[in-house]
Amino acid sequence: MHFVQSKTILNRNGMNIYRGCSHGCIYCDSRSKCYHFDHEFEDIEVKQNAPELLIEALRKKRKKCMIGTGSMTDPYIPLEKELCLTRRCLEIIDRYDFGAAVLTKSDLVLRDLDILERINRKSRAVVQMTLTTADDQLCRKIEPGVCPTSRRFEVLCECRDRGIPTAVWLSPFLPFINDTQENIDALLDYCVRAGVQAVLCFGIGLTLREGNREYFYSALDRFSRENNENNENNGPEKLQLSGLKERYIRTFGESYIVSSPNHNSLMRRISEVCRKNNILLGTDSVFKWLQEFPEDKLQPSLF
């Protein structure tokens, strides 16, 4: 990691305290060259003055609003356990009576539920959790540096029990890997059981462009080698991940948007389950819901 003194912290009411990530998700779009990283992705840039910048930014705002985290880098990467910059920023959001919407794959967010509860009592806090596969074995392959999906489900349940609203990002779905109805149904079952209020899904597929495409393909090559070694050693191997890179190249070429052949049927399935269980779905409506700030909760009583 390395520290920098940043000039700004908020961009459209969202903040990235860190730049780069150590979760190792094989599909990560933030690795794309268009984001102009001038350092190794795993050499995480830490905005050391983020709390001070946030205080300055919130003092200047005329209206209270929701402050988001984690659009480019998870606010709960392992470094956060030591540095506590996300926690300090949440404390500032609490102090200035703003709302908070955090997005993560990590169970480290549990550490800060005390602050998120206080924020939610005064204004509003939302915890958003990304879920991609209900198979923990597969999860450890495609998202090796973060807790498995079953643990994320436990985080969602803990938020539910504390009265903190939650949303789930069902994204991305990797063609020929986790784009199955079995997986979709299992993830939606997690959402229903955890009392999730909203689901975001950008389609059944992923995006690949220069930078993240090469990293993704190198992971697929590694899966093939591991599968071959398991076969040679007669070891048990539930996941059949051989030959995927070649299959992607044949099917999608250099496409930026890589859509699953199962896109239409799986999107219909997601819509059906969300409608049946009163879960908000749709990018525009969910983003609007995430940005809603209950100003009436901050109004002092007249009596």
Side-chain angles (χ1 to χ4, degrees):
M1 69 173 175
H2 62 282
F3 293 95
V4 297
Q5 293 290 312
S6 185
K7 294 182 180 178
T8 59
I9 189 63
L10 288 185
N11 179 17
R12 296 182 181 178
N13 297 328
M15 62 180 176
N16 284 290
I17 298 166
Y18 303 105
R19 196 160 186 260
C21 190
S22 54
H23 285 342
C25 303
I26 67 170
Y27 50 74
C28 181
D29 177 70
S30 294
R31 293 180 179 273
S32 300
K33 287 191 175 180
C34 63
Y35 297 116
H36 304 295
F37 273 81
D38 55 6
H39 57 86
E40 291 294 324
F41 193 70
E42 287 76 12
D43 176 21
I44 295 163
E45 181 179 285
V46 180
K47 297 178 182 178
Q48 192 172 20
N49 59 334
E52 292 77 16
L53 289 173
L54 184 60
I55 290 172
E56 181 182 355
L58 296 187
R59 282 176 172 170
K60 292 179 179 178
K61 284 192 173 292
R62 294 184 178 181
K63 290 187 66 176
K64 306 294 184 184
C65 63
M66 299 293 287
I67 304 297
T69 70
S71 58
M72 279 287 292
T73 298
D74 196 311
Y76 289 104
I77 55 176
L79 275 176
E80 168 60 21
K81 189 172 184 179
E82 170 192 349
L83 298 177
C84 294
L85 287 175
T86 297
R87 182 172 178 87
R88 288 173 60 192
C89 286
L90 288 176
E91 289 172 337
I92 292 164
I93 290 169
D94 178 34
R95 186 190 317 160
Y96 286 90
D97 295 329
F98 281 75
V102 299
L103 170 60
T104 185
K105 294 185 179 87
S106 173
D107 58 354
L108 183 55
V109 67
L110 291 172
R111 180 201 64 186
D112 294 342
L113 287 191
D114 59 329
I115 307 174
L116 291 167
E117 278 187 296
R118 290 201 304 268
I119 294 172
N120 197 48
R121 283 194 296 267
K122 289 192 298 182
S123 56
R124 185 166 180 252
V126 180
V127 171
Q128 306 161 78
M129 187 68 67
T130 298
L131 306 182
T132 60
T133 174
D135 184 333
D136 281 355
Q137 181 189 8
L138 178 58
C139 182
R140 291 186 180 97
K141 283 182 172 290
I142 67 175
E143 300 162 343
V146 68
C147 65
T149 305
S150 58
R151 176 59 173 161
R152 298 178 213 175
F153 167 64
E154 293 173 354
V155 172
L156 291 168
C157 290
E158 181 67 21
C159 291
R160 175 202 63 203
D161 294 345
R162 296 193 184 207
I164 298 171
T166 56
V168 160
W169 292 51
L170 292 178
S171 175
F173 291 106
L174 314 179
F176 320 126
I177 298 176
N178 65 336
D179 61 333
T180 66
Q181 182 166 331
E182 178 186 14
N183 182 48
I184 293 289
D185 283 347
L187 293 176
L188 290 170
D189 181 62
Y190 274 153
C191 292
V192 172
R193 289 161 56 198
V196 167
Q197 282 98 327
V199 161
L200 267 167
C201 183
F202 301 96
I204 311 301
L206 75 157
T207 58
L208 293 176
R209 50 187 165 188
E210 187 178 7
N212 79 313
R213 177 184 287 109
E214 290 77 8
Y215 190 81
F216 180 69
Y217 281 172
S218 69
L220 298 188
D221 279 337
R222 185 173 68 254
F223 295 161
S224 290
R225 290 194 301 271
E226 291 171 353
N227 262 33
N228 292 336
E229 290 170 2
N230 282 328
N231 290 335
E232 289 174 3
N233 297 327
N234 296 317
E237 180 60 34
K238 178 182 177 183
L239 304 172
Q240 297 302 317
L241 299 176
S242 294
L244 285 171
K245 175 182 174 181
E246 293 74 18
R247 191 174 182 184
Y248 266 75
I249 292 171
R250 287 196 309 270
T251 307
F252 305 114
E254 296 292 309
S255 297
Y256 166 52
I257 298 176
V258 175
S259 293
S260 165
N262 304 321
H263 170 84
N264 291 336
S265 63
L266 292 180
M267 287 302 296
R268 283 196 299 269
R269 181 60 177 163
I270 292 171
S271 178
E272 172 191 335
V273 174
C274 287
R275 183 172 59 252
K276 180 179 178 181
N277 292 279
N278 296 314
I279 298 173
L280 186 64
L281 177 69
T283 53
D284 291 344
S285 56
V286 173
F287 279 127
K288 181 180 179 181
W289 176 79
L290 287 169
Q291 294 164 6
E292 289 175 354
F293 183 83
E295 296 183 21
D296 57 310
K297 288 179 73 172
L298 296 178
Q299 298 297 325
S301 172
L302 296 176
F303 304 100

mmCIF file with all atom_site columns, all heavy atoms in Angstrom, residues 28-45:
data_model
loop_
_atom_site.group_PDB
_atom_site.id
_atom_site.type_symbol
_atom_site.label_atom_id
_atom_site.label_alt_id
_atom_site.label_comp_id
_atom_site.label_asym_id
_atom_site.label_entity_id
_atom_site.label_seq_id
_atom_site.pdbx_PDB_ins_code
_atom_site.Cartn_x
_atom_site.Cartn_y
_atom_site.Cartn_z
_atom_site.occupancy
_atom_site.B_iso_or_equiv
_atom_site.pdbx_formal_charge
_atom_site.auth_seq_id
_atom_site.auth_comp_id
_atom_site.auth_asym_id
_atom_site.auth_atom_id
_atom_site.pdbx_PDB_model_num
ATOM 1   N N   . CYS A 1 28 ? -13.014 -8.225 -12.103 1.00 0.00 ? 28 CYS A N   1
ATOM 2   C CA  . CYS A 1 28 ? -13.095 -6.841 -11.630 1.00 0.00 ? 28 CYS A CA  1
ATOM 3   C C   . CYS A 1 28 ? -12.884 -5.817 -12.750 1.00 0.00 ? 28 CYS A C   1
ATOM 4   O O   . CYS A 1 28 ? -11.807 -5.727 -13.340 1.00 0.00 ? 28 CYS A O   1
ATOM 5   C CB  . CYS A 1 28 ? -12.073 -6.616 -10.524 1.00 0.00 ? 28 CYS A CB  1
ATOM 6   S SG  . CYS A 1 28 ? -12.123 -4.938 -9.843  1.00 0.00 ? 28 CYS A SG  1
ATOM 7   N N   . ASP A 1 29 ? -13.913 -5.006 -13.008 1.00 0.00 ? 29 ASP A N   1
ATOM 8   C CA  . ASP A 1 29 ? -13.830 -3.972 -14.036 1.00 0.00 ? 29 ASP A CA  1
ATOM 9   C C   . ASP A 1 29 ? -12.868 -2.859 -13.648 1.00 0.00 ? 29 ASP A C   1
ATOM 10  O O   . ASP A 1 29 ? -12.313 -2.177 -14.512 1.00 0.00 ? 29 ASP A O   1
ATOM 11  C CB  . ASP A 1 29 ? -15.219 -3.385 -14.292 1.00 0.00 ? 29 ASP A CB  1
ATOM 12  C CG  . ASP A 1 29 ? -15.189 -2.253 -15.297 1.00 0.00 ? 29 ASP A CG  1
ATOM 13  O OD1 . ASP A 1 29 ? -14.947 -2.526 -16.486 1.00 0.00 ? 29 ASP A OD1 1
ATOM 14  O OD2 . ASP A 1 29 ? -15.398 -1.086 -14.899 1.00 0.00 ? 29 ASP A OD2 1
ATOM 15  N N   . SER A 1 30 ? -12.647 -2.671 -12.345 1.00 0.00 ? 30 SER A N   1
ATOM 16  C CA  . SER A 1 30 ? -11.765 -1.582 -11.902 1.00 0.00 ? 30 SER A CA  1
ATOM 17  C C   . SER A 1 30 ? -10.324 -1.766 -12.364 1.00 0.00 ? 30 SER A C   1
ATOM 18  O O   . SER A 1 30 ? -9.534  -0.822 -12.311 1.00 0.00 ? 30 SER A O   1
ATOM 19  C CB  . SER A 1 30 ? -11.799 -1.469 -10.373 1.00 0.00 ? 30 SER A CB  1
ATOM 20  O OG  . SER A 1 30 ? -13.075 -1.075 -9.929  1.00 0.00 ? 30 SER A OG  1
ATOM 21  N N   . ARG A 1 31 ? -9.982  -2.965 -12.835 1.00 0.00 ? 31 ARG A N   1
ATOM 22  C CA  . ARG A 1 31 ? -8.644  -3.198 -13.380 1.00 0.00 ? 31 ARG A CA  1
ATOM 23  C C   . ARG A 1 31 ? -8.486  -2.628 -14.788 1.00 0.00 ? 31 ARG A C   1
ATOM 24  O O   . ARG A 1 31 ? -7.373  -2.603 -15.320 1.00 0.00 ? 31 ARG A O   1
ATOM 25  C CB  . ARG A 1 31 ? -8.338  -4.693 -13.418 1.00 0.00 ? 31 ARG A CB  1
ATOM 26  C CG  . ARG A 1 31 ? -8.199  -5.350 -12.061 1.00 0.00 ? 31 ARG A CG  1
ATOM 27  C CD  . ARG A 1 31 ? -7.896  -6.836 -12.206 1.00 0.00 ? 31 ARG A CD  1
ATOM 28  N NE  . ARG A 1 31 ? -7.743  -7.473 -10.914 1.00 0.00 ? 31 ARG A NE  1
ATOM 29  C CZ  . ARG A 1 31 ? -6.624  -7.551 -10.217 1.00 0.00 ? 31 ARG A CZ  1
ATOM 30  N NH1 . ARG A 1 31 ? -5.515  -7.016 -10.725 1.00 0.00 ? 31 ARG A NH1 1
ATOM 31  N NH2 . ARG A 1 31 ? -6.570  -8.138 -9.042  1.00 0.00 ? 31 ARG A NH2 1
ATOM 32  N N   . SER A 1 32 ? -9.570  -2.209 -15.403 1.00 0.00 ? 32 SER A N   1
ATOM 33  C CA  . SER A 1 32 ? -9.520  -1.744 -16.794 1.00 0.00 ? 32 SER A CA  1
ATOM 34  C C   . SER A 1 32 ? -8.574  -0.550 -16.940 1.00 0.00 ? 32 SER A C   1
ATOM 35  O O   . SER A 1 32 ? -8.516  0.331  -16.081 1.00 0.00 ? 32 SER A O   1
ATOM 36  C CB  . SER A 1 32 ? -10.920 -1.360 -17.261 1.00 0.00 ? 32 SER A CB  1
ATOM 37  O OG  . SER A 1 32 ? -11.800 -2.458 -17.179 1.00 0.00 ? 32 SER A OG  1
ATOM 38  N N   . LYS A 1 33 ? -7.865  -0.520 -18.055 1.00 0.00 ? 33 LYS A N   1
ATOM 39  C CA  . LYS A 1 33 ? -6.860  0.527  -18.269 1.00 0.00 ? 33 LYS A CA  1
ATOM 40  C C   . LYS A 1 33 ? -7.480  1.914  -18.377 1.00 0.00 ? 33 LYS A C   1
ATOM 41  O O   . LYS A 1 33 ? -6.789  2.915  -18.167 1.00 0.00 ? 33 LYS A O   1
ATOM 42  C CB  . LYS A 1 33 ? -6.042  0.212  -19.523 1.00 0.00 ? 33 LYS A CB  1
ATOM 43  C CG  . LYS A 1 33 ? -5.074  -0.947 -19.325 1.00 0.00 ? 33 LYS A CG  1
ATOM 44  C CD  . LYS A 1 33 ? -4.087  -1.066 -20.471 1.00 0.00 ? 33 LYS A CD  1
ATOM 45  C CE  . LYS A 1 33 ? -3.063  -2.156 -20.177 1.00 0.00 ? 33 LYS A CE  1
ATOM 46  N NZ  . LYS A 1 33 ? -2.083  -2.303 -21.273 1.00 0.00 ? 33 LYS A NZ  1
ATOM 47  N N   . CYS A 1 34 ? -8.773  1.974  -18.685 1.00 0.00 ? 34 CYS A N   1
ATOM 48  C CA  . CYS A 1 34 ? -9.411  3.281  -18.835 1.00 0.00 ? 34 CYS A CA  1
ATOM 49  C C   . CYS A 1 34 ? -9.437  4.068  -17.522 1.00 0.00 ? 34 CYS A C   1
ATOM 50  O O   . CYS A 1 34 ? -9.677  5.279  -17.525 1.00 0.00 ? 34 CYS A O   1
ATOM 51  C CB  . CYS A 1 34 ? -10.829 3.120  -19.374 1.00 0.00 ? 34 CYS A CB  1
ATOM 52  S SG  . CYS A 1 34 ? -11.949 2.206  -18.288 1.00 0.00 ? 34 CYS A SG  1
ATOM 53  N N   . TYR A 1 35 ? -9.201  3.395  -16.392 1.00 0.00 ? 35 TYR A N   1
ATOM 54  C CA  . TYR A 1 35 ? -9.198  4.088  -15.106 1.00 0.00 ? 35 TYR A CA  1
ATOM 55  C C   . TYR A 1 35 ? -7.820  4.643  -14.753 1.00 0.00 ? 35 TYR A C   1
ATOM 56  O O   . TYR A 1 35 ? -7.656  5.261  -13.699 1.00 0.00 ? 35 TYR A O   1
ATOM 57  C CB  . TYR A 1 35 ? -9.711  3.166  -14.000 1.00 0.00 ? 35 TYR A CB  1
ATOM 58  C CG  . TYR A 1 35 ? -11.139 2.742  -14.222 1.00 0.00 ? 35 TYR A CG  1
ATOM 59  C CD1 . TYR A 1 35 ? -11.465 1.404  -14.430 1.00 0.00 ? 35 TYR A CD1 1
ATOM 60  C CD2 . TYR A 1 35 ? -12.175 3.674  -14.257 1.00 0.00 ? 35 TYR A CD2 1
ATOM 61  C CE1 . TYR A 1 35 ? -12.774 1.000  -14.654 1.00 0.00 ? 35 TYR A CE1 1
ATOM 62  C CE2 . TYR A 1 35 ? -13.485 3.283  -14.481 1.00 0.00 ? 35 TYR A CE2 1
ATOM 63  C CZ  . TYR A 1 35 ? -13.775 1.950  -14.681 1.00 0.00 ? 35 TYR A CZ  1
ATOM 64  O OH  . TYR A 1 35 ? -15.082 1.562  -14.908 1.00 0.00 ? 35 TYR A OH  1
ATOM 65  N N   . HIS A 1 36 ? -6.824  4.401  -15.602 1.00 0.00 ? 36 HIS A N   1
ATOM 66  C CA  . HIS A 1 36 ? -5.519  5.051  -15.521 1.00 0.00 ? 36 HIS A CA  1
ATOM 67  C C   . HIS A 1 36 ? -4.825  4.840  -14.173 1.00 0.00 ? 36 HIS A C   1
ATOM 68  O O   . HIS A 1 36 ? -4.371  5.797  -13.542 1.00 0.00 ? 36 HIS A O   1
ATOM 69  C CB  . HIS A 1 36 ? -5.654  6.554  -15.818 1.00 0.00 ? 36 HIS A CB  1
ATOM 70  C CG  . HIS A 1 36 ? -6.304  6.844  -17.142 1.00 0.00 ? 36 HIS A CG  1
ATOM 71  N ND1 . HIS A 1 36 ? -5.729  6.504  -18.347 1.00 0.00 ? 36 HIS A ND1 1
ATOM 72  C CD2 . HIS A 1 36 ? -7.507  7.410  -17.437 1.00 0.00 ? 36 HIS A CD2 1
ATOM 73  C CE1 . HIS A 1 36 ? -6.534  6.868  -19.341 1.00 0.00 ? 36 HIS A CE1 1
ATOM 74  N NE2 . HIS A 1 36 ? -7.627  7.412  -18.820 1.00 0.00 ? 36 HIS A NE2 1
ATOM 75  N N   . PHE A 1 37 ? -4.735  3.609  -13.747 1.00 0.00 ? 37 PHE A N   1
ATOM 76  C CA  . PHE A 1 37 ? -3.935  3.315  -12.563 1.00 0.00 ? 37 PHE A CA  1
ATOM 77  C C   . PHE A 1 37 ? -2.469  3.496  -12.915 1.00 0.00 ? 37 PHE A C   1
ATOM 78  O O   . PHE A 1 37 ? -1.987  2.970  -13.925 1.00 0.00 ? 37 PHE A O   1
ATOM 79  C CB  . PHE A 1 37 ? -4.170  1.866  -12.107 1.00 0.00 ? 37 PHE A CB  1
ATOM 80  C CG  . PHE A 1 37 ? -5.345  1.705  -11.190 1.00 0.00 ? 37 PHE A CG  1
ATOM 81  C CD1 . PHE A 1 37 ? -6.630  1.633  -11.705 1.00 0.00 ? 37 PHE A CD1 1
ATOM 82  C CD2 . PHE A 1 37 ? -5.174  1.638  -9.816  1.00 0.00 ? 37 PHE A CD2 1
ATOM 83  C CE1 . PHE A 1 37 ? -7.720  1.490  -10.867 1.00 0.00 ? 37 PHE A CE1 1
ATOM 84  C CE2 . PHE A 1 37 ? -6.261  1.502  -8.968  1.00 0.00 ? 37 PHE A CE2 1
ATOM 85  C CZ  . PHE A 1 37 ? -7.535  1.426  -9.493  1.00 0.00 ? 37 PHE A CZ  1
ATOM 86  N N   . ASP A 1 38 ? -1.759  4.252  -12.086 1.00 0.00 ? 38 ASP A N   1
ATOM 87  C CA  . ASP A 1 38 ? -0.325  4.420  -12.304 1.00 0.00 ? 38 ASP A CA  1
ATOM 88  C C   . ASP A 1 38 ? 0.482   3.615  -11.291 1.00 0.00 ? 38 ASP A C   1
ATOM 89  O O   . ASP A 1 38 ? 1.655   3.892  -11.040 1.00 0.00 ? 38 ASP A O   1
ATOM 90  C CB  . ASP A 1 38 ? 0.076   5.904  -12.252 1.00 0.00 ? 38 ASP A CB  1
ATOM 91  C CG  . ASP A 1 38 ? -0.360  6.575  -10.951 1.00 0.00 ? 38 ASP A CG  1
ATOM 92  O OD1 . ASP A 1 38 ? -0.866  5.865  -10.051 1.00 0.00 ? 38 ASP A OD1 1
ATOM 93  O OD2 . ASP A 1 38 ? -0.183  7.805  -10.839 1.00 0.00 ? 38 ASP A OD2 1
ATOM 94  N N   . HIS A 1 39 ? -0.169  2.613  -10.698 1.00 0.00 ? 39 HIS A N   1
ATOM 95  C CA  . HIS A 1 39 ? 0.487   1.705  -9.757  1.00 0.00 ? 39 HIS A CA  1
ATOM 96  C C   . HIS A 1 39 ? -0.155  0.342  -9.886  1.00 0.00 ? 39 HIS A C   1
ATOM 97  O O   . HIS A 1 39 ? -1.235  0.197  -10.484 1.00 0.00 ? 39 HIS A O   1
ATOM 98  C CB  . HIS A 1 39 ? 0.360   2.230  -8.314  1.00 0.00 ? 39 HIS A CB  1
ATOM 99  C CG  . HIS A 1 39 ? -1.055  2.448  -7.870  1.00 0.00 ? 39 HIS A CG  1
ATOM 100 N ND1 . HIS A 1 39 ? -1.853  1.462  -7.338  1.00 0.00 ? 39 HIS A ND1 1
ATOM 101 C CD2 . HIS A 1 39 ? -1.840  3.564  -7.901  1.00 0.00 ? 39 HIS A CD2 1
ATOM 102 C CE1 . HIS A 1 39 ? -3.046  1.945  -7.042  1.00 0.00 ? 39 HIS A CE1 1
ATOM 103 N NE2 . HIS A 1 39 ? -3.084  3.220  -7.389  1.00 0.00 ? 39 HIS A NE2 1
ATOM 104 N N   . GLU A 1 40 ? 0.486   -0.681 -9.351  1.00 0.00 ? 40 GLU A N   1
ATOM 105 C CA  . GLU A 1 40 ? -0.084  -2.016 -9.384  1.00 0.00 ? 40 GLU A CA  1
ATOM 106 C C   . GLU A 1 40 ? -1.427  -2.031 -8.649  1.00 0.00 ? 40 GLU A C   1
ATOM 107 O O   . GLU A 1 40 ? -1.576  -1.383 -7.610  1.00 0.00 ? 40 GLU A O   1
ATOM 108 C CB  . GLU A 1 40 ? 0.873   -3.026 -8.743  1.00 0.00 ? 40 GLU A CB  1
ATOM 109 C CG  . GLU A 1 40 ? 2.137   -3.276 -9.538  1.00 0.00 ? 40 GLU A CG  1
ATOM 110 C CD  . GLU A 1 40 ? 1.865   -3.951 -10.872 1.00 0.00 ? 40 GLU A CD  1
ATOM 111 O OE1 . GLU A 1 40 ? 0.947   -4.802 -10.921 1.00 0.00 ? 40 GLU A OE1 1
ATOM 112 O OE2 . GLU A 1 40 ? 2.554   -3.612 -11.853 1.00 0.00 ? 40 GLU A OE2 1
ATOM 113 N N   . PHE A 1 41 ? -2.366  -2.774 -9.188  1.00 0.00 ? 41 PHE A N   1
ATOM 114 C CA  . PHE A 1 41 ? -3.724  -2.773 -8.634  1.00 0.00 ? 41 PHE A CA  1
ATOM 115 C C   . PHE A 1 41 ? -3.737  -3.220 -7.177  1.00 0.00 ? 41 PHE A C   1
ATOM 116 O O   . PHE A 1 41 ? -4.516  -2.718 -6.367  1.00 0.00 ? 41 PHE A O   1
ATOM 117 C CB  . PHE A 1 41 ? -4.622  -3.686 -9.471  1.00 0.00 ? 41 PHE A CB  1
ATOM 118 C CG  . PHE A 1 41 ? -6.090  -3.533 -9.194  1.00 0.00 ? 41 PHE A CG  1
ATOM 119 C CD1 . PHE A 1 41 ? -6.773  -2.389 -9.575  1.00 0.00 ? 41 PHE A CD1 1
ATOM 120 C CD2 . PHE A 1 41 ? -6.799  -4.539 -8.548  1.00 0.00 ? 41 PHE A CD2 1
ATOM 121 C CE1 . PHE A 1 41 ? -8.131  -2.247 -9.328  1.00 0.00 ? 41 PHE A CE1 1
ATOM 122 C CE2 . PHE A 1 41 ? -8.152  -4.407 -8.298  1.00 0.00 ? 41 PHE A CE2 1
ATOM 123 C CZ  . PHE A 1 41 ? -8.823  -3.251 -8.687  1.00 0.00 ? 41 PHE A CZ  1
ATOM 124 N N   . GLU A 1 42 ? -2.885  -4.186 -6.839  1.00 0.00 ? 42 GLU A N   1
ATOM 125 C CA  . GLU A 1 42 ? -2.838  -4.682 -5.463  1.00 0.00 ? 42 GLU A CA  1
ATOM 126 C C   . GLU A 1 42 ? -2.028  -3.776 -4.538  1.00 0.00 ? 42 GLU A C   1
ATOM 127 O O   . GLU A 1 42 ? -2.049  -3.958 -3.313  1.00 0.00 ? 42 GLU A O   1
ATOM 128 C CB  . GLU A 1 42 ? -2.269  -6.101 -5.422  1.00 0.00 ? 42 GLU A CB  1
ATOM 129 C CG  . GLU A 1 42 ? -3.206  -7.176 -5.953  1.00 0.00 ? 42 GLU A CG  1
ATOM 130 C CD  . GLU A 1 42 ? -3.305  -7.205 -7.479  1.00 0.00 ? 42 GLU A CD  1
ATOM 131 O OE1 . GLU A 1 42 ? -2.475  -6.532 -8.131  1.00 0.00 ? 42 GLU A OE1 1
ATOM 132 O OE2 . GLU A 1 42 ? -4.194  -7.894 -8.011  1.00 0.00 ? 42 GLU A OE2 1
ATOM 133 N N   . ASP A 1 43 ? -1.285  -2.815 -5.096  1.00 0.00 ? 43 ASP A N   1
ATOM 134 C CA  . ASP A 1 43 ? -0.572  -1.810 -4.293  1.00 0.00 ? 43 ASP A CA  1
ATOM 135 C C   . ASP A 1 43 ? -1.562  -0.686 -4.010  1.00 0.00 ? 43 ASP A C   1
ATOM 136 O O   . ASP A 1 43 ? -1.632  0.311  -4.714  1.00 0.00 ? 43 ASP A O   1
ATOM 137 C CB  . ASP A 1 43 ? 0.650   -1.288 -5.056  1.00 0.00 ? 43 ASP A CB  1
ATOM 138 C CG  . ASP A 1 43 ? 1.364   -0.173 -4.307  1.00 0.00 ? 43 ASP A CG  1
ATOM 139 O OD1 . ASP A 1 43 ? 1.184   -0.070 -3.070  1.00 0.00 ? 43 ASP A OD1 1
ATOM 140 O OD2 . ASP A 1 43 ? 2.084   0.604  -4.969  1.00 0.00 ? 43 ASP A OD2 1
ATOM 141 N N   . ILE A 1 44 ? -2.325  -0.862 -2.959  1.00 0.00 ? 44 ILE A N   1
ATOM 142 C CA  . ILE A 1 44 ? -3.521  -0.040 -2.754  1.00 0.00 ? 44 ILE A CA  1
ATOM 143 C C   . ILE A 1 44 ? -3.153  1.390  -2.355  1.00 0.00 ? 44 ILE A C   1
ATOM 144 O O   . ILE A 1 44 ? -2.353  1.612  -1.442  1.00 0.00 ? 44 ILE A O   1
ATOM 145 C CB  . ILE A 1 44 ? -4.425  -0.685 -1.699  1.00 0.00 ? 44 ILE A CB  1
ATOM 146 C CG1 . ILE A 1 44 ? -4.939  -2.028 -2.247  1.00 0.00 ? 44 ILE A CG1 1
ATOM 147 C CG2 . ILE A 1 44 ? -5.602  0.215  -1.346  1.00 0.00 ? 44 ILE A CG2 1
ATOM 148 C CD1 . ILE A 1 44 ? -5.498  -2.936 -1.220  1.00 0.00 ? 44 ILE A CD1 1
ATOM 149 N N   . GLU A 1 45 ? -3.748  2.325  -3.070  1.00 0.00 ? 45 GLU A N   1
ATOM 150 C CA  . GLU A 1 45 ? -3.574  3.742  -2.766  1.00 0.00 ? 45 GLU A CA  1
ATOM 151 C C   . GLU A 1 45 ? -4.554  4.131  -1.670  1.00 0.00 ? 45 GLU A C   1
ATOM 152 O O   . GLU A 1 45 ? -5.753  3.908  -1.795  1.00 0.00 ? 45 GLU A O   1
ATOM 153 C CB  . GLU A 1 45 ? -3.824  4.570  -4.026  1.00 0.00 ? 45 GLU A CB  1
ATOM 154 C CG  . GLU A 1 45 ? -3.654  6.064  -3.838  1.00 0.00 ? 45 GLU A CG  1
ATOM 155 C CD  . GLU A 1 45 ? -3.887  6.803  -5.142  1.00 0.00 ? 45 GLU A CD  1
ATOM 156 O OE1 . GLU A 1 45 ? -2.998  6.752  -6.016  1.00 0.00 ? 45 GLU A OE1 1
ATOM 157 O OE2 . GLU A 1 45 ? -4.968  7.399  -5.280  1.00 0.00 ? 45 GLU A OE2 1
#
